[in-house]
């Protein structure tokens, strides 16, 4: 039985009045939902708190899952909406706390920054983008989905997503430049 | 050939949920399911004041019309 079929069966049991069936959905999805939240806040405790909120929201709205899309698409969209609302509500106060490792922001030659520190700065810069560009980057790159699936979760047309990704990359390069980070200029075509 | 930005965005690290995360979610789910459903908001039909005034006005005007 595929994960989507298992999830749909569990959802049916929950709707029929068995909340314990939701445990299977939580077990199968905790890793993805916590990591999706982590992409939006880069703070472990906050990511788990956001993921719990998303699971509860999904539990409350399971009745709205009609099986027209895959369960994975539906749940990811619920989580994405929950995280967007949370980011809008909290204004990302945790951003800047708990870096993966201390980031050396002292002035100096570009290559003085470790590669990992550079990468972390770029990933945090994604969170400063306008919401639609941030969401496009998170869904397409961090979640490693293809254009069609990312567009479905975001609820936009594929062409719109491609345009948003193009603009997001431009903005990100500009933000990185203002942080003193120079990235190689090879332009990648979004398929 | 992927550029540096692509490589950085695609190679993000993953985190592991805490060991008690799933249990904490399920405790919250059971709490939620144990709560009584929210009572429906009481809807009381309210007579529209403006329409009543209009009707009253119409009655008054009718009553003063000479036969």
């Amino acid at each position: 039985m595929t994960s989507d079929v298992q999830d749909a069966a569990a959802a049916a049991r929950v709707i029929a009045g068995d909340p314990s069936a939701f445990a299977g959905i939580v077990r199968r999805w905790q890793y993805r939902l916590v990591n999706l939240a982590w992409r939006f806040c880069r703070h472990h405790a906050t990511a788990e708190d956001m993921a719990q909120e998303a699971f509860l929201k999904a539990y409350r709205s399971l009745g709205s899952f009609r099986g027209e899309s895959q369960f994975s698409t539906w749940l990811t969209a619920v989580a994405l909406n929950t995280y967007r609302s949370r980011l809008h509500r909290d204004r990302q106060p945790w951003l800047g706390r708990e870096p993966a490792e201390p980031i050396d922001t002292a002035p100096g030659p570009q290559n003085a920054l470790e590669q990992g520190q550079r990468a972390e700065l770029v990933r945090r810069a994604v969170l400063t983008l306008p919401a639609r560009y941030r969401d496009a980057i998170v869904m397409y790159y961090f979640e490693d989905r293809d254009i069609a699936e990312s567009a479905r979760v975001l609820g936009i047309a594929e062409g719109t997503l491609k345009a948003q990704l193009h603009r997001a990359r431009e903005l990100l390069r500009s933000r990185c430049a203002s942080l003193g980070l120079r990235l190689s200029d090879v332009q990648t075509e979004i398929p | 050939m992927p550029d540096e930005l692509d490589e950085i965005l695609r190679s993000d690290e993953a985190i592991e949920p805490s060991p008690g995360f799933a249990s904490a979610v399920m405790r919250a789910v059971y709490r939620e399911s144990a709560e009584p459903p929210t009572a429906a908001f009481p809807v009381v039909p309210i007579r529209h004041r403006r329409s009543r005034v209009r009707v009253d006005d119409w009655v008054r005007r009718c009553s003063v019309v000479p036969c």
Side-chain angles (χ1 to χ4, degrees), chain A residues 35-58:
Chain A
N35 272 282
L36 179 58
W38 159 255
R39 310 293 181 230
F40 281 107
C41 68
R42 309 202 75 75
H43 186 261
H44 198 138
T46 307
E48 292 197 346
D49 196 42
M50 289 166 68
Q52 174 161 333
E53 195 178 331
F55 274 122
L56 276 177
K57 195 168 174 186

Short mmCIF file of all heavy atoms in Angstrom, two decimals, chain A residues 35-58:
data_model
loop_
_atom_site.label_atom_id
_atom_site.label_comp_id
_atom_site.label_asym_id
_atom_site.label_seq_id
_atom_site.Cartn_x
_atom_site.Cartn_y
_atom_site.Cartn_z
N ASN A 35 10.86 19.66 8.67
CA ASN A 35 11.91 20.22 7.80
C ASN A 35 11.40 21.35 6.91
O ASN A 35 12.13 22.30 6.64
CB ASN A 35 12.57 19.11 6.97
CG ASN A 35 13.72 18.49 7.72
OD1 ASN A 35 14.81 19.05 7.80
ND2 ASN A 35 13.48 17.35 8.34
N LEU A 36 10.13 21.24 6.49
CA LEU A 36 9.56 22.35 5.71
C LEU A 36 9.49 23.61 6.59
O LEU A 36 9.84 24.71 6.15
CB LEU A 36 8.17 21.98 5.19
CG LEU A 36 7.45 23.05 4.38
CD1 LEU A 36 8.26 23.46 3.15
CD2 LEU A 36 6.07 22.57 3.94
N ALA A 37 9.09 23.44 7.84
CA ALA A 37 9.04 24.58 8.77
C ALA A 37 10.43 25.13 9.02
O ALA A 37 10.63 26.35 9.09
CB ALA A 37 8.39 24.15 10.09
N TRP A 38 11.39 24.23 9.12
CA TRP A 38 12.79 24.64 9.34
C TRP A 38 13.28 25.53 8.19
O TRP A 38 14.00 26.50 8.40
CB TRP A 38 13.66 23.39 9.48
CG TRP A 38 15.11 23.53 9.22
CD1 TRP A 38 15.79 23.11 8.11
CD2 TRP A 38 16.10 24.13 10.08
NE1 TRP A 38 17.12 23.40 8.22
CE2 TRP A 38 17.35 24.03 9.42
CE3 TRP A 38 16.06 24.73 11.33
CZ2 TRP A 38 18.53 24.51 9.97
CZ3 TRP A 38 17.23 25.20 11.88
CH2 TRP A 38 18.45 25.10 11.21
N ARG A 39 12.86 25.23 6.97
CA ARG A 39 13.26 26.06 5.83
C ARG A 39 12.75 27.50 5.98
O ARG A 39 13.32 28.42 5.46
CB ARG A 39 12.71 25.51 4.50
CG ARG A 39 12.93 24.06 4.25
CD ARG A 39 14.38 23.73 4.04
NE ARG A 39 14.55 22.32 3.77
CZ ARG A 39 15.43 21.53 4.40
NH1 ARG A 39 16.22 22.02 5.32
NH2 ARG A 39 15.53 20.27 4.10
N PHE A 40 11.62 27.63 6.69
CA PHE A 40 11.01 28.96 6.82
C PHE A 40 11.51 29.73 8.04
O PHE A 40 11.27 30.93 8.12
CB PHE A 40 9.49 28.83 6.93
CG PHE A 40 8.81 28.61 5.62
CD1 PHE A 40 8.28 27.39 5.28
CD2 PHE A 40 8.70 29.66 4.71
CE1 PHE A 40 7.66 27.19 4.06
CE2 PHE A 40 8.08 29.47 3.49
CZ PHE A 40 7.56 28.23 3.17
N CYS A 41 12.12 29.05 9.00
CA CYS A 41 12.51 29.79 10.23
C CYS A 41 13.95 29.53 10.65
O CYS A 41 14.53 30.34 11.36
CB CYS A 41 11.55 29.45 11.36
SG CYS A 41 11.66 27.76 11.95
N ARG A 42 14.51 28.40 10.27
CA ARG A 42 15.88 28.03 10.61
C ARG A 42 16.11 28.08 12.12
O ARG A 42 17.13 28.55 12.60
CB ARG A 42 16.89 28.88 9.83
CG ARG A 42 16.60 28.88 8.33
CD ARG A 42 17.77 29.22 7.48
NE ARG A 42 18.74 28.13 7.36
CZ ARG A 42 18.56 27.05 6.60
NH1 ARG A 42 17.44 26.90 5.90
NH2 ARG A 42 19.46 26.12 6.55
N HIS A 43 15.12 27.60 12.85
CA HIS A 43 15.20 27.53 14.31
C HIS A 43 14.47 26.26 14.73
O HIS A 43 13.26 26.12 14.47
CB HIS A 43 14.53 28.79 14.91
CG HIS A 43 14.67 28.89 16.39
ND1 HIS A 43 13.66 28.52 17.25
CD2 HIS A 43 15.70 29.32 17.16
CE1 HIS A 43 14.07 28.73 18.49
NE2 HIS A 43 15.29 29.21 18.47
N HIS A 44 15.21 25.34 15.34
CA HIS A 44 14.69 23.98 15.55
C HIS A 44 13.39 23.96 16.37
O HIS A 44 12.39 23.36 15.95
CB HIS A 44 15.77 23.13 16.23
CG HIS A 44 15.52 21.66 16.12
ND1 HIS A 44 16.50 20.74 15.85
CD2 HIS A 44 14.38 20.93 16.21
CE1 HIS A 44 15.99 19.53 15.79
NE2 HIS A 44 14.71 19.61 16.01
N ALA A 45 13.42 24.61 17.55
CA ALA A 45 12.24 24.55 18.43
C ALA A 45 11.03 25.20 17.75
O ALA A 45 9.90 24.69 17.83
CB ALA A 45 12.54 25.25 19.76
N THR A 46 11.28 26.31 17.06
CA THR A 46 10.17 26.99 16.37
C THR A 46 9.64 26.12 15.24
O THR A 46 8.43 26.06 15.01
CB THR A 46 10.64 28.35 15.82
OG1 THR A 46 11.24 29.09 16.88
CG2 THR A 46 9.49 29.14 15.23
N ALA A 47 10.54 25.42 14.56
CA ALA A 47 10.12 24.54 13.45
C ALA A 47 9.17 23.46 13.98
O ALA A 47 8.14 23.16 13.36
CB ALA A 47 11.34 23.92 12.77
N GLU A 48 9.50 22.88 15.13
CA GLU A 48 8.63 21.84 15.68
C GLU A 48 7.29 22.42 16.12
O GLU A 48 6.24 21.80 15.95
CB GLU A 48 9.33 21.14 16.85
CG GLU A 48 10.52 20.32 16.39
CD GLU A 48 10.98 19.31 17.41
OE1 GLU A 48 10.57 19.39 18.58
OE2 GLU A 48 11.78 18.42 17.02
N ASP A 49 7.34 23.61 16.68
CA ASP A 49 6.10 24.26 17.10
C ASP A 49 5.20 24.55 15.89
O ASP A 49 3.99 24.31 15.91
CB ASP A 49 6.47 25.57 17.82
CG ASP A 49 5.31 26.11 18.62
OD1 ASP A 49 4.63 25.32 19.28
OD2 ASP A 49 5.07 27.33 18.57
N MET A 50 5.81 25.03 14.81
CA MET A 50 5.05 25.32 13.59
C MET A 50 4.49 24.04 13.00
O MET A 50 3.34 24.00 12.53
CB MET A 50 5.96 26.03 12.57
CG MET A 50 6.31 27.45 12.94
SD MET A 50 7.68 28.13 11.97
CE MET A 50 6.98 28.26 10.34
N ALA A 51 5.30 22.96 13.02
CA ALA A 51 4.84 21.69 12.44
C ALA A 51 3.67 21.13 13.26
O ALA A 51 2.71 20.60 12.70
CB ALA A 51 5.99 20.69 12.40
N GLN A 52 3.74 21.29 14.60
CA GLN A 52 2.62 20.81 15.43
C GLN A 52 1.35 21.58 15.09
O GLN A 52 0.26 21.00 14.98
CB GLN A 52 2.97 20.99 16.92
CG GLN A 52 1.79 20.64 17.81
CD GLN A 52 2.19 20.35 19.25
OE1 GLN A 52 3.30 19.92 19.51
NE2 GLN A 52 1.29 20.56 20.17
N GLU A 53 1.50 22.89 14.89
CA GLU A 53 0.34 23.71 14.52
C GLU A 53 -0.23 23.23 13.19
O GLU A 53 -1.45 23.16 13.00
CB GLU A 53 0.80 25.18 14.43
CG GLU A 53 -0.32 26.19 14.42
CD GLU A 53 0.22 27.62 14.37
OE1 GLU A 53 1.33 27.88 14.87
OE2 GLU A 53 -0.48 28.48 13.81
N ALA A 54 0.66 22.89 12.26
CA ALA A 54 0.21 22.41 10.94
C ALA A 54 -0.53 21.08 11.06
O ALA A 54 -1.57 20.88 10.42
CB ALA A 54 1.40 22.27 10.00
N PHE A 55 0.00 20.17 11.90
CA PHE A 55 -0.68 18.88 12.08
C PHE A 55 -2.07 19.08 12.68
O PHE A 55 -3.04 18.43 12.27
CB PHE A 55 0.15 17.97 13.00
CG PHE A 55 1.20 17.17 12.26
CD1 PHE A 55 2.53 17.28 12.60
CD2 PHE A 55 0.85 16.31 11.23
CE1 PHE A 55 3.50 16.56 11.93
CE2 PHE A 55 1.82 15.57 10.55
CZ PHE A 55 3.15 15.70 10.91
N LEU A 56 -2.16 19.99 13.66
CA LEU A 56 -3.46 20.22 14.28
C LEU A 56 -4.45 20.83 13.29
O LEU A 56 -5.63 20.47 13.27
CB LEU A 56 -3.31 21.15 15.49
CG LEU A 56 -2.91 20.47 16.80
CD1 LEU A 56 -2.73 21.49 17.90
CD2 LEU A 56 -3.97 19.45 17.22
N LYS A 57 -3.93 21.74 12.47
CA LYS A 57 -4.80 22.35 11.46
C LYS A 57 -5.27 21.28 10.47
O LYS A 57 -6.44 21.26 10.06
CB LYS A 57 -4.04 23.46 10.73
CG LYS A 57 -4.93 24.37 9.94
CD LYS A 57 -4.18 25.59 9.49
CE LYS A 57 -5.01 26.45 8.56
NZ LYS A 57 -4.25 27.56 8.00
N ALA A 58 -4.36 20.39 10.09
CA ALA A 58 -4.73 19.30 9.17
C ALA A 58 -5.77 18.40 9.82
O ALA A 58 -6.74 17.97 9.18
CB ALA A 58 -3.49 18.51 8.79
#
